[in-house]
Amino acid sequence: MVPDPNRRYLVAVALAASLAGCFGDEPADDTGQDATAPGEDGTDAPADDTTQPAAEDDAADDADDDAELLTDDLPRPRVLADEAAFDRLTDLIEEEETVADWFRLLEGRASRLDLHPPKEYDIGDGVRLLPVSREVLERSLTLGLAYRLTDEVAYAERLVEELAAVADFPDWNPDHFLDVAEMTAATAIGYDWCHDAFDATEQAMIREAILTHGLEPAERAYRGLEPYSWWRTVDHNWNFVCNGGIAMGAVALYGQHAEDDEFLEYLLEQAERSIRRPFDALGPYGGWNEGPDYWVYGLQYAVYYLATMAAFDELPAFAASKPMYRTGAFPLQITGPTGAFNYGDGTPNVPSSPELFWLADNAAAPAWADARERHLARDHRVTPLDLLWYDPDHGGDVTGLPLDAHFPGGDHAATFRTAHEDATAVFLGCKAGDNESNHTALDAGTFVLDAYGTRWVPHWGRDDYNLPGYWDTGRGGDRWDYYRMRPEGQNTLVFDPSSAPSQDPEAVAEIEVFERTDAGGIAIADLSPVYERRGIASCRRGFRFERNPASVLIQDEFGADEAVDCYWFMHTEQRLSIGERTAVLSATDGAARVVAELIEPADARFDELPPEPLPSSPDPDGQADNPGTKLAIALPDRTAATIAVRLTPLPTGEDEPAETPSVRPLADWEPPTV
């Protein structure tokens, strides 16, 4: 490998800035964005990019490097885990039948990879190499683990074929930097875990690929020199993934070339500085404003980063933050019996991942490990990191978690349920929300409802990420032209429908009251900020959850500066039959139903609408079809109103509730009592 003199120059400048005190300070602007443009503060760009040192004549030294195995100053492995972790896993395979069964599954996958050719360079959608990067990551973990646990060189040989293929790619697609980060992570794992099985040529090839395709583009991003540099200043999943993957690459290569070690130290310093932002963005109880899908993705690389830095013995002090060690509760509480409360761009997929084992161990929260173990018992999709981080003696019990939860800060969500780990349980997920969050929809006030194994009230989640303008957010953004991103595509309120969305894309609504008892709980959201630009002076939505018998009361109170048209919407995929003040949602298998009662206002009635844009709304081509139908209440020309709807899930044969609850102002609400 020929050392890059330009790389050494850039490192020298960056280290000088670092030593001058730039590293370690809090970001200039705690909103998650730099207060200055790239290069303006002197830490992201040298004074003169055109100055270059004279190239050194390293040909003889490089020839020696190419002819000999590179020596390490530090022990391996050190990416994700150290040698002690693998030794512990070897013992567990011998001692624990579950672990032995998991390993047999993974070894079978590793063996079958011989039947598949290495991945090829393919940006199929014109934007992303990401599916390729993720497949290589999975193969690297699987083959690397199989090699370390068996010493079978065939696994390392198959892995080097994979890594040789990606080393030969023209690039790892830095314009979509997630692709670079995940490919860097994949190659770092292979290089580190199978290092002793590779010959000198193979080591040099993989090392040079990590440097050229991964770390050098990252260095330019940290210095703000490229259009793709933006990810280093955000506080969402991109930051976790990009910094986590780059840190893994830097740790994998560290300790072999002194001139490169300075470069790698600079990258690790910049990664530590940048990755603080999303750690700080976790809500005080570990909530995540991008929803459960992007909790899984972001926290995957947050844990990759922490696990790697711990194995490297360089764990940063901020890693001990309380939200990080509370966040394992978020995916468990945000998930009901039929799937996740998938607000924003989410899917209802259960947000379970091997990182729950790591978090459970490091946060002393064994219930999280029990949740992951139960999930694996259901779907059997064990991963290499499940083996590496599993503790069979965790002693946890997820059924002992609180039945109700509130996640302020993140996306201001709350959940209530009748039981954990019960397929027939009743579950309510509701939220206020930060409409400026990444991957958000204008869904403040929305909710989902599960009961008796059915999702009665769904949230549609994402549309096609490649739709024109889908990522154009803020006021006037094209994202808000799409039905699934607009308030009318949610289970919430719409005021004065028009081509502009009813909620403000730059507003934040919070849950201002959350209380729970053994009998149930309440959550009250102040939605006034998101509707203020519609002339709504005040708007509050309350959810009252009764556990036995189970029911949900949804109550809205609003007041407007002038008369407005108000619409109440609730989507369902189930059969819907409507009376003027009662609607019944029936499961397609006939096993259960939900009765909706319109309690107030007295002069309103239920209607049924198709789940599609309103006549005044944009209707761009290419949008996903939305199944089912929409229960609606229309209140024209109102300056104030209270809307109260009770939803009562009922199993087959159970009578509808005989009594209608009285309506009390939200200010007087108290949680249910036994």
Side-chain angles (χ1 to χ4, degrees):
M1 179 185 67
V2 180
D4 181 351
N6 185 48
R7 181 193 308 148
R8 291 199 296 274
Y9 167 70
L10 299 180
V11 169
V13 172
L15 285 176
S18 176
L19 293 172
C22 73
F23 175 69
D25 295 336
E26 290 298 318
D29 179 355
D30 64 4
T31 63
Q33 301 295 329
D34 281 343
T36 55
E40 288 180 3
D41 62 358
T43 62
D44 287 311
D48 182 1
D49 266 347
T50 63
T51 303
Q52 300 293 336
E56 300 177 15
D57 184 6
D58 289 333
D61 291 341
D62 292 333
D64 290 341
D65 288 344
D66 290 341
E68 299 176 5
L69 286 169
L70 295 172
T71 58
D72 273 309
D73 294 336
L74 299 171
R76 292 189 188 277
R78 54 179 181 258
V79 173
L80 296 178
D82 58 15
E83 185 65 30
F86 285 97
D87 290 344
R88 171 184 164 277
L89 177 53
T90 300
D91 292 340
L92 283 179
I93 291 171
E94 295 178 358
E95 299 166 1
E96 296 287 338
E97 183 177 352
T98 295
V99 182
D101 289 343
W102 288 354
F103 178 62
R104 280 191 288 271
L105 285 171
L106 286 167
E107 192 175 16
R109 290 181 205 162
S111 298
R112 289 191 294 275
L113 284 172
D114 275 340
L115 304 176
H116 301 276
K119 298 300 293 183
E120 298 179 351
Y121 191 84
D122 179 16
I123 304 181
D125 67 354
V127 177
R128 300 167 183 85
L129 186 67
L130 196 55
V132 176
S133 298
R134 288 176 173 169
E135 180 65 24
V136 175
L137 175 62
E138 182 178 343
R139 292 180 178 188
S140 188
L141 284 165
T142 301
L143 292 164
L145 187 81
Y147 168 71
R148 291 214 67 86
L149 295 179
T150 66
D151 288 326
E152 291 288 340
V153 176
Y155 294 126
E157 290 174 343
R158 173 61 186 85
L159 181 53
V160 83
E161 290 179 16
E162 197 73 45
L163 300 185
V166 301
D168 198 42
F169 285 3
D171 56 46
W172 291 345
N173 196 33
D175 288 341
H176 191 258
F177 207 85
L178 294 177
D179 312 5
V180 173
E182 295 222 47
M183 195 69 85
T184 302
T187 49
I189 291 165
Y191 184 81
D192 183 58
W193 289 11
C194 298
H195 191 267
D196 63 346
F198 298 152
D199 64 28
T201 300
E202 292 164 344
Q203 288 179 358
M205 170 193 64
I206 301 167
R207 180 184 180 87
E208 184 62 20
I210 294 173
L211 286 167
T212 302
H213 293 329
L215 302 187
E216 290 176 1
E219 183 269 344
R220 294 184 65 79
Y222 286 131
R223 294 178 62 247
L225 298 178
E226 300 289 350
Y228 57 73
S229 301
W230 59 267
W231 55 261
R232 77 200 195 286
T233 64
V234 299
D235 62 359
H236 53 65
N237 74 89
W238 275 72
N239 188 307
F240 273 143
V241 175
C242 294
N243 283 304
I246 294 308
M248 292 165 72
V251 167
L253 301 191
Y254 193 84
Q256 295 181 321
H257 279 294
E259 67 271 25
D260 283 338
D261 282 353
E262 291 183 348
F263 171 65
L264 300 173
E265 287 166 6
Y266 168 71
L267 295 178
L268 289 171
E269 289 171 350
Q270 293 302 309
E272 180 178 340
R273 180 186 183 189
S274 174
I275 205 170
R276 292 180 184 184
R277 295 175 184 272
F279 276 112
D280 289 344
L282 285 165
Y285 296 100
W288 189 240
N289 58 16
E290 294 181 288
D293 274 7
Y294 287 95
W295 180 93
V296 171
Y297 189 33
L299 267 292
Q300 173 189 348
Y301 276 86
V303 169
Y304 283 10
Y305 174 79
L306 294 177
T308 297
M309 299 311 293
F312 191 50
D313 201 25
E314 291 289 342
L315 192 64
F318 72 80
S321 67
K322 287 183 180 179
M324 180 62 194
Y325 294 100
R326 292 171 172 169
T327 194
F330 175 71
L332 311 184
Q333 295 286 13
I334 211 73
T335 301
T338 74
F341 175 22
N342 55 312
Y343 53 82
D345 274 329
T347 70
N349 297 333
V350 174
S352 185
S353 68
E355 287 71 42
L356 282 172
F357 282 143
W358 189 93
L359 288 166
D361 183 51
N362 284 271
W368 306 348
D370 181 52
R372 176 62 180 172
E373 188 170 3
R374 290 175 187 244
H375 180 77
L376 291 175
R378 289 190 289 266
D379 81 350
H380 307 292
R381 288 184 289 181
V382 65
T383 74
L385 295 179
D386 284 307
L387 272 79
L388 201 56
W389 291 331
Y390 175 62
D391 177 6
D393 299 321
H394 59 71
D397 183 1
V398 70
T399 63
L401 289 175
L403 296 177
D404 312 317
H406 177 212
F407 294 98
D411 216 12
H412 311 283
T415 59
F416 304 88
R417 72 186 73 223
T418 55
H420 285 284
E421 293 293 317
D422 180 352
T424 66
V426 179
F427 168 82
L428 170 71
C430 57
K431 70 182 289 288
D434 180 351
N435 284 351
E436 287 192 288
S437 294
N438 193 46
H439 284 290
T440 195
L442 301 182
D443 57 6
T446 200
F447 65 98
V448 298
L449 179 67
D450 291 350
Y452 304 108
T454 296
R455 175 145 292 181
W456 299 93
V457 182
H459 182 91
W460 299 128
R462 69 183 62 171
D463 210 316
D464 183 350
Y465 281 9
N466 292 331
L467 285 169
Y470 194 79
W471 302 108
D472 180 11
T473 59
R475 292 173 183 151
D478 290 344
R479 180 179 178 88
W480 317 125
D481 289 349
Y482 296 107
Y483 180 78
R484 291 190 174 192
M485 298 296 104
R486 294 170 66 85
E488 69 208 64
Q490 323 301 324
N491 306 308
T492 192
L493 300 172
V494 170
F495 293 98
D496 280 346
S498 70
S499 60
S502 186
Q503 292 188 9
D504 182 356
E506 298 182 5
V508 179
E510 298 184 1
I511 292 176
E512 59 182 5
V513 176
F514 174 82
E515 297 180 29
R516 64 189 182 194
T517 65
D518 289 344
I522 60 173
I524 301 174
D526 182 5
L527 304 182
S528 307
V530 301
Y531 294 115
E532 183 179 6
R533 290 171 65 87
R534 272 291 195 268
I536 305 302
S538 65
C539 182
R540 300 171 81 217
R541 166 165 277 198
F543 297 91
R544 180 182 175 87
F545 185 85
E546 299 261 6
R547 245 184 284 280
N548 187 23
S551 67
V552 178
L553 176 64
I554 305 158
Q555 184 168 312
D556 298 298
E557 298 173 355
F558 74 86
D561 299 330
E562 299 178 355
V564 295
D565 295 337
C566 173
Y567 294 86
W568 183 102
F569 291 137
M570 186 185 85
H571 294 76
T572 185
E573 294 182 75
Q574 309 308 316
R575 291 195 300 259
L576 179 63
S577 58
I578 293 181
E580 284 199 358
R581 300 189 62 80
T582 301
V584 178
L585 287 66
S586 302
T588 54
D589 62 7
R593 67 195 191 283
V594 169
V595 176
E597 303 166 81
L598 175 49
I599 302 169
E600 283 199 12
D603 61 346
R605 67 176 193 177
F606 282 131
D607 286 310
E608 183 176 3
L609 295 176
E612 60 188 34
L614 294 169
S616 59
S617 298
D619 189 10
D621 293 336
Q623 298 181 80
D625 293 329
N626 303 302
T629 188
K630 183 160 65 175
L631 186 64
I633 303 168
L635 300 179
D637 200 30
R638 305 289 175 111
T639 56
T642 294
I643 307 170
V645 175
R646 182 172 68 172
L647 304 176
T648 305
L650 297 168
T652 300
E654 188 167 320
D655 293 336
E656 297 180 10
E659 295 183 3
T660 299
S662 59
V663 174
R664 292 185 297 164
L666 292 176
D668 296 337
W669 270 25
E670 294 179 352
T673 56
V674 177

